[in-house]
Amino acid sequence: MQQLPEDVIEEILSLLHVKDLMRFKSVSKKWNSIISSQHLINLHLKKSISSPSHRRIFIPHSKSVVYKGLHDDTEELPLPPGAIAYFFGAFDGLLCYLQNHDDATRIRVWNPATRVSKTADLKLKFDNFVSWFGRESSSDEYKLILGIRPLGKQLANNHTLLVTLYVDGDSSNSSVQEIDLDQLVFKPYEEGTYFRGILHWPANRNSYWVVFTYDLGQKSVGEIAMPVTSQNHLCALGVVDRCLSAICGNCEGFCVIYEVWIMKEYGIKESWTKSMNIPHPAGNVQYMFLVGVSDYGDIFFRSSTEHVNLFVYNVGEKKYTATLVSDGYFVKTYVETLVSPNLGKKRTVGAT
C-alpha cells in the first residue's frame, strides 16, 4: 500500500473510522502527514456525513453513552475533566457545551472521536438561553450564537442579548446585539435550526407559535408563521427532505399525535404542507415526549416506560427504533470526524 499513489491512499483512508485513523498515524511519517492534512480531514468529513455507519447518538450524563447503532452497540465515552455541563450543539463531529464558573461561563468545543477539546471564556453569567453552534456556510467559520439575559445586567422588558462568538477565529470579531423579542417566549435551552444561512427557533406569543429567525449574514431578526394547526400545541423544528419542517403535537386524550409539516417554499406561510402523522410505537407506551430533530431528519422521543425511554423515528424509512438509555432528555447526534476544535490558545471574550 505504501507504493500506491497518494490520492489513492487518501481515498482509502477517508472511508475508515476515526479510531483506526488515529492508530494508523504511527505507521509512518508519510501516513501521519496525510491523516493530519486538512485535505484528508475535509475528505473524511464529507464521507462521514453521508455514511450512516459514522453516525452516533450521544447521551450526556455522568457516564455518557455513545450509541454506534440504534440497538445495543454502545460505548461509554469519558468526558473531558470537569465536564459537568449543558450540551447544546453538534456540528461536523464537534460538540459544544457550557461550564459555569464563579465569574464567567466557559465554552468548550470537543471532538469525542479524537478526544480533543478547547475552551473559551465568556465573561458573563446568565440564565435561560437559546443557542446554536455550527459552521456558517458563507464565511466557513464556526460560530456560537447565544440568546441570553445576563444576571445582574438591566435590560428593557422582553429584550435579550444575542451574543455571537467566533470559536475558531479572531475573538475581536465576536459581537453582542440587544434585540426586542416583542412578547415572544422561548422554551429554555432551545437549540436553533440552521437552514439557508438563517437560524430558526420556535417561540410563543400569546399562546400562538411562530418561528423566530436570525439571519447570520445580515444580523437581522424576523418571524415566519407556523402551520395553522400548530397553534396551542407542542412544537419542534428541523430539516426534513431539504425543507424547513415543524413537528407539531396534537393532544387527543392521554396521547399526543405528532404531525410533520414541511415548508415547501421557504418563507411562504401557504406552502406549509402536512407530510405525515407519526404513528404511536407498538407496545405499552402511554406517554411520548418530543425531544428534538437530528440533522439527518431523525425525530427523537422519550417515554417513561419500564424498558425503553428513548425512541428514534426515521422519517425516510417511516419506522421506530427503540434505544435503551438511562436518561434520554438531552440527546445529540453527531458524526465521527477528524475535525479539530482549533480554537488556538484559550482566550477571553467579554460582553459589555
Side-chain angles (χ1 to χ4, degrees), residues 11 41 87 120 128 227 233 256 299:
E11 186 67 26
I41 291 172
F87 286 76
N128 296 348
H233 298 309
V256 177
I299 302 173

Side-chain angles (χ1 to χ4, degrees), residues 158-210:
N158 209 226
H159 279 218
T160 192
L161 293 183
L162 206 59
V163 181
T164 301
L165 300 174
Y166 293 77
V167 298
D168 63 342
D170 184 355
S171 63
S172 64
N173 291 327
S174 300
S175 63
V176 179
Q177 183 178 354
E178 184 172 339
I179 58 174
D180 184 357
L181 295 179
D182 190 22
Q183 305 295 318
L184 289 178
V185 178
F186 297 84
K187 291 186 289 184
Y189 313 118
E190 185 74 20
E191 186 176 337
T193 296
Y194 179 83
F195 185 66
R196 294 190 176 184
I198 299 173
L199 303 182
H200 306 76
W201 289 276
N204 196 283
R205 179 188 291 118
N206 300 324
S207 299
Y208 283 83
W209 287 101
V210 299

Side-chain angles (χ1 to χ4, degrees), residues 224-228 261-274:
I224 296 176
M226 288 289 291
V228 175
W261 288 76
I262 293 177
M263 180 173 263
K264 293 190 173 182
E265 295 183 52
Y266 181 74
I268 307 300
K269 176 182 178 181
E270 291 73 20
S271 73
W272 280 114
T273 304
K274 183 177 175 180

Side-chain angles (χ1 to χ4, degrees), residues 17-35:
H17 288 281
V18 172
K19 184 180 293 186
D20 297 323
L21 292 173
M22 299 301 287
R23 189 170 69 250
F24 291 160
K25 278 188 172 185
S26 60
V27 170
S28 67
K29 289 183 177 180
K30 179 180 180 180
W31 277 37
N32 180 65
S33 176
I34 292 174
I35 294 172

Side-chain angles (χ1 to χ4, degrees), residues 12 14 23 27 52 60 85 100 111 135 146 149 154 175 184 186 203 224 233 253 260 275 278 300 304-305 337 342 351:
I12 295 172
S14 69
R23 189 170 69 250
V27 170
N100 286 316
N111 185 325
R135 177 165 48 85
L146 293 174
R149 286 191 65 87
Q154 295 298 319
S175 63
L184 289 178
F186 297 84
I224 296 176
H233 298 309
V260 178
S275 174
I278 299 176
F300 293 89
S304 55
T305 54
T337 73
N342 193 28

Side-chain angles (χ1 to χ4, degrees), residues 280-288 303-309 311:
H280 210 64
N284 185 26
V285 181
Q286 295 182 341
Y287 300 101
M288 295 281 287
S303 73
S304 55
T305 54
E306 180 180 357
H307 300 295
V308 177
N309 62 14
F311 291 90

